[in-house]
Structures are given as C-alpha cells and as structure tokens.
Amino acid sequence: MRALPPAFSRLVAPLPGPLLLAAAMLLPAPLRAQPALELRVVPDQPGPLWFGQHVGLTAILRTRVRFGGSPSFPDPAMTGHAVVLPNGSTTPGTEREGGVSYVLLQHRYDLFPLQTGSLVFPALKLVAPVIGDDGGSITAQAESQPLTFEVRLPPGVRDLHRLVTSPEASLTSEVQGDPARVPVGEALTRRITLRVSDTTSMVLPAVDWQAPSGMRAYPDPPRLEDSSERGVLRAQRIDSAAFVPQRPGRFVLPGSQLQWFNPDSGALTELAIAPLVIEAVAVPVAPHSRPWWRTAPAMLVLLALILGLLGWWAVRHGKLPRRLMPAETPEAAAFAALRRACHANAARPAMAALLRWAALILPPPHLPTLPELARLSRSPALAAEAARLSDLCFAAPAQAPGRAWNGAGLAAAAVKARRRLRRRSPGRREAALPSLNPAGSPTPPPRLILPGWHR
C-alpha cells in the first residue's frame, strides 16, 4: 500500500479504527492501494487470425512513479507452432488514467502463427527497479495475462507449406545462360525470387528443385533478406540452382507454384513459374585433334632441330664456353693466323703464316709449295696475291722503296682456296706433316720454295 502524506496521517490519527475503515472505503480509486508496476500485452487485432498472418503485440510496462533502470523484456516461450520476433526497440511514453499519470515503457513483438486452431501467447513476467516518492529505489515485479488467438486456414488452400499470407507478393524467375543451346557438361543457372510485405523471410516457402533424368541439379543456399520501410516489414527469399546436362537431348525443368492469400481482401491467388525447356547439345570435337602421346615424337624432332641450330650458331660465332668449343687443329690455327695478318696488313707475318698454312693444308704426296697450293685450289687470284706479297717481302729495298701492302685480296683468295680444297677432300680437317725419313720411298723430303719460286 502506498504511504499517506504526513499531514494527512496526523489528521486521521485521533479517529477510531471503524471510522478510519469507513473513510478508506469512501476515498477515490486513485488513492487506494495500487501495485507499483503493471504489465499488459495489447495485440494490434484481437482475432481471429489467418494462418501465417502477421500480428503485432505491444507489451506495455507502466508505473505511477519513475523507473530506476532499463528493464529487459523477456522472449516469450510459445507452446504452439509460431514465429515470434522481438522488434528490438523499447520506447518510453506517458499516459493518464483516472486522474493519475503513469510512466510507460513499450516493447514490440511480431507474431506469425504457423498452426490452425487455438494459439496461446504466454504471460510475460518482468522485474524492474522503480523510484518512490521518497526517492528510494525498490524492485517491483509485474506479470501480464496470456493471450489466446484463434487461427484459421484460408478457404481453398491445398498445401500449408506452399502458402504465403501477405498483403503484397510477387514471384519472378531469371535464367543465366541460353536454354536453347546448353553444351553437355556446362551449367545453366535458374534463380527464383519471392518478394512479400508485412511478413518475415523465415516463414517463406522454399523452392523444391527437381532435375529430370539425365541432368543434375546443384542448389545454392537460399538468400533471406528482411527490411522495414516506414514501419512496414519487407521480406525476400532468393533460391538459385545450377543444372548440368549429362547427355544431349531435350529436358523440361519443373516450374514452381505458390498460393498467395491477401488477409486484407480475403483473395486467394496462384503464383506460378512456368516450366523451362532446355536443349542440351553435344560438345563438338576439335578437327584433327590427336592425343598428346601421338604428337610427342614430332615435338621431340622439332626440339632437336632447334637445339642443333642453336649449337651451330654458337659454334659459328664462338658463343660456346671454351670447354665446350671443339679443339682447334694446327691447320685451322695457321689459317686463322694468316687472316689476322692480312687484316692487319702485316706483310712479313702474312707471308710466314701463308707458308705454314700451305704446308698443313696440302695432302701428301703434294709438295707444300705456294705454286702447288694455287694449282690444286684452282685459284689464279691466290697465285697473283702470293706473288705480289713475295716481291714485297723478298725484293731488295732499292727495288720496292716504301711500298704498302693491303692484305684484303690475299685473305679473300685464301678463303676461297681453302673452301675448294676442303670440298675436294671431305672429312679432312688437318693435313699431317710428311715423315722426315719415309721408309721405302724414293721421294725426297719436301722443300719450301721461298724467293724466286714463281720465276
């Protein structure tokens, strides 16, 4: 019981007990004993409700004084089949009743019944701190009354699991790919979207994907989306699946049907997605295609040819490491010395290199002389250049004062002569020097003819 004001207590203290009881009976209702905390649940509509219809419930907690803290509203423990979602917000307020002002806290619940017949929303129990007139804080408890709803099934409903109860609903489909031509083994994706209002995505029916024989279905997890627009709930469910044909032919993917009941108008409507016809075609085989093991020999031959060309180029241009370069023969070394002397226009070194090269390139029993070299190589140019170089090297200084020599002509003639001699004796890379004392041979030792050989 609420304590009376001190002045009023001093006024009634001298009165006898029966008189005090009679006076209390005559007091107005606001002054009588009232609980410090009250809780009640008010539905948006009392009923009856349709199966799956959304109904909002407002839990109102009030006190005549002040709240000492923010109470926590409980989650109701439903005994029947229903979805209850807390709105997630608690709003304060005030109201006046019988001349008394109250402080309010309001909490919202969204109820979606999923069974027919009687559905009971249980009583809620709540404990909250309140502040009295004397400024002290006390803990008060309140409990609401249970609510009973009658849930009905809309007339004409065939399957409860394929029913949508909402003021607005739409069912659409999309296809990713060309149904008229789907190669075997490739996927075609089908997506079905259900959009409704004043409900939650948790109660929306799923799509039953069915694949015909010769085709496989790979469903994706559904996408459930909920939102609120100016206090109106919006829900969306997106189901998608990939269909892969296993053989060529025509396939028919089943459609999808729903029943939509509008609780505002009482109309029952069919929402349907038409079946989808798919033409699966065989994957064309690439012409002249062969297994890799049949083309391997050709690849090996090509690789060997490429490596051979690279090796020839490296040897030709001296790009190989020194340890991989072929060994240089005495004849090749002498010819290289001849070319270097000719490029340097050094007459005497060129003459010495020419004589050495002639002795190495001519095979026995030919004499290692320059006339024999010119004759065997059929090179008049070599004979002329060698004669000119001999005059320059061995003539008296008075006969050839200050004469300059250009070795380009001799180098070119020597290259041609060497090429002809090597073609004449293929496989010969080095002319061995004849024996100094040949046994059983009347042939005298070879002689090198130097000055005057051409005269």
Side-chain angles (χ1 to χ4, degrees), residues 83 85 112 196 198-204 226 233-236:
V83 173
L85 300 177
F112 304 90
V196 294
D198 200 27
T199 188
T200 176
S201 61
M202 296 178 60
V203 302
L204 300 182
D226 291 279
L233 299 179
R234 300 281 181 181
Q236 177 175 271

Side-chain angles (χ1 to χ4, degrees), residues 134-388:
D134 57 355
S137 176
I138 60 174
T139 301
Q141 181 176 348
E143 182 177 356
S144 67
Q145 296 294 324
L147 299 178
T148 303
F149 298 96
E150 180 186 356
V151 183
R152 300 177 181 178
L153 184 66
V157 174
R158 298 185 300 271
D159 185 1
L160 292 178
H161 301 288
R162 309 298 299 169
L163 174 64
V164 175
T165 303
S166 171
E168 299 177 7
S170 65
L171 187 66
T172 58
S173 67
E174 301 177 42
V175 177
Q176 295 181 356
D178 184 10
R181 192 179 185 279
V182 180
V184 173
E186 297 189 11
L188 180 138
T189 302
R190 196 178 192 190
R191 178 181 300 168
I192 297 180
T193 304
L194 175 61
R195 298 182 179 90
V196 294
S197 65
D198 200 27
T199 188
T200 176
S201 61
M202 296 178 60
V203 302
L204 300 182
V207 176
D208 184 19
W209 299 112
Q210 296 181 3
S213 177
M215 179 172 290
R216 294 183 180 178
Y218 300 92
D220 294 329
R223 288 172 49 190
L224 304 180
E225 301 175 0
D226 291 279
S227 61
S228 178
E229 299 179 5
R230 298 180 180 180
V232 179
L233 299 179
R234 300 281 181 181
Q236 177 175 271
R237 182 187 177 105
I238 301 177
D239 292 273
S240 60
F243 294 89
V244 180
Q246 306 298 306
R247 57 176 174 80
R250 170 172 290 190
F251 301 92
V252 179
L253 301 183
S256 181
Q257 295 81 27
L258 295 175
Q259 285 187 297
W260 166 41
F261 177 72
N262 189 337
D264 297 339
S265 62
L268 185 65
T269 308
E270 291 282 344
L271 299 178
I273 298 296
L276 181 64
V277 179
I278 295 180
E279 294 288 344
V281 297
V283 179
V285 180
H288 306 294
S289 62
R290 293 182 179 179
W292 64 271
W293 58 84
R294 298 187 63 181
T295 59
M299 297 299 294
L300 292 177
V301 171
L302 180 60
L303 180 61
L305 180 60
I306 294 175
L307 292 177
L309 292 176
L310 290 176
W312 173 85
W313 180 86
V315 173
R316 176 83 174 179
H317 297 276
K319 300 298 183 181
L320 285 177
R322 184 172 299 275
R323 65 177 181 273
L324 297 180
M325 292 290 290
E328 190 176 36
T329 63
E331 182 271 336
F335 186 76
L338 173 62
R339 296 188 64 181
R340 287 194 300 269
C342 290
H343 291 319
N345 297 325
R348 292 189 177 277
M351 189 66 194
L354 177 62
L355 293 174
R356 175 172 172 77
W357 175 63
L360 294 174
I361 192 65
L362 292 176
H366 299 282
L367 295 177
T369 62
L370 295 181
E372 187 71 6
L373 177 64
R375 184 184 66 81
L376 289 180
S377 62
R378 301 187 305 278
S379 177
L382 178 61
E385 292 293 336
R388 188 165 64 89

Side-chain angles (χ1 to χ4, degrees), residues 53-141:
Q53 181 183 1
H54 171 224
V55 58
L57 304 176
T58 304
I60 303 175
L61 182 67
R62 74 175 188 175
T63 180
R64 294 176 287 105
V65 284
R66 291 181 297 131
F67 287 101
S70 298
S72 178
F73 285 83
D75 294 332
M78 297 291 298
T79 57
H81 294 286
V83 173
V84 181
L85 300 177
N87 192 273
S89 61
T90 301
T91 58
T94 60
E95 69 176 3
R96 189 172 182 83
E97 180 182 347
V100 181
S101 297
Y102 294 91
V103 179
L104 308 179
L105 288 178
Q106 304 180 37
H107 190 77
R108 183 81 173 177
Y109 295 94
D110 296 315
L111 175 65
F112 304 90
L114 299 179
Q115 72 174 30
T116 58
S118 179
L119 181 66
V120 179
F121 185 83
L124 301 180
K125 296 181 180 181
L126 193 145
V127 177
V130 295
I131 306 298
D133 293 336
D134 57 355
S137 176
I138 60 174
T139 301
Q141 181 176 348

